[in-house]
Amino acid sequence: MEYNENIAACIAEISEIAGYLWQKGWAERNGGNISCNITDFADDVLAECSPLYGPVSLPRPLENLSGNYFLVTGTGRRMRYVASAPMDNMAIIKILDGGRSYVIVAEKAVVPTSELPSHLSVHSYLAGRGDGYRAVIHTHPIELVAMTHHKAFLEKDVLSRLLWSMIPETRAFCPKGVGIVPYQLPGSLALADATIALLDEYDVVLWEKHGAFAVGKNVVEAFDMIDTLSKSAQIYMSGRAMGFVPEGMTDAQMQELKQAFNL
Ligand code: 2HA
Ligand code: ZN
């Protein structure tokens, strides 16, 4: 199918990032999922596509998404194949019926991710915010997930402070830090709701003993934040592996960064 420039760019971005998720070891089997709201880029070509599959009921109505279009990776699909054959492993869906159902409109009948409830609930929240955030990534970054197995790191902003203090980039490029969602069943509405509750404050949240979930204006931006936090986690763990607890930047040094970068 012929996609317009903007949609083609979104597809290319998702396939690029999917490749990184696989290369980083964050996407075992079908782990992780990516979605992007492409409603602003929809054109007549998309409007004229007849449904390939559906309608499928959504677990709860998302009125403000009615008529919206999303690129979304498929359930059971491997990130490594999203990278090599993007439109064989993701689909474009359209939300119908006042936000009560969706149909797949392109390119093949690839059924969306098991995390569709959290992706769409978050997209509904982001659409309500209206600040141009279109992208959602969920992935399983090894070191960040490992850190959520330690109770002390689950207290509010303990991990943000620790990860910020490992390298100036993290303080500068992940200025909101990271929220923590206590363990919930994967794919559940409870997980979606607990995630949304933290997005006023954070762009990245960690799902305890499961993974990372990030939102951004585009997929690259969402990925970069997880990548930066992951770098900090690796520095911390490298210090521990060498037998010492990394000192971390001081509060004064982080404050200086905050002022210098207007964070
Ligand atoms: O798509 O990562 O959380 C598989 C998952 C579910
Ligand atoms: Zn997952």
Side-chain angles (χ1 to χ4, degrees), residues 18 33 38 53 62 67 86 88 99 110 112 119 141 162-163 173 178 185 189 205 216 220 223 225:
N33 21 78
I38 54 167
Y53 180 86
L62 299 165
D88 288 342
V110 174
H119 281 251
L162 178 71
L163 296 172
F173 298 118
V178 63
L185 184 71
L189 286 175
V205 300
V220 170
F223 167 78
M225 286 184 290

Side-chain angles (χ1 to χ4, degrees), residues 10-19 21-22 27 29-38 69-93 102 104 106-120 123 134-140 213 219:
C10 271
I11 294 169
E13 239 179 42
I14 293 175
S15 70
E16 177 192 347
I17 298 305
L21 300 183
W22 163 248
R29 199 172 183 275
N30 60 314
N33 21 78
I34 305 177
S35 65
C36 194
N37 189 335
I38 54 167
Y69 290 90
F70 294 91
L71 264 167
V72 52
T73 55
T75 186
R77 302 300 172 128
R78 272 80 169 151
M79 283 295 157
R80 58 188 188 267
Y81 302 141
V82 174
S84 57
M87 292 314 288
D88 288 342
N89 293 285
M90 65 176 154
I92 297 177
I93 62 169
Y102 73 83
I104 299 176
E107 187 170 319
K108 298 185 176 161
V110 174
V111 176
T113 166
S114 60
E115 295 291 357
L116 195 67
S118 57
H119 281 251
L120 288 184
H123 281 296
R134 300 180 207 288
V136 171
I137 297 185
H138 163 59
T139 186
H140 301 162
F213 189 97
V219 175

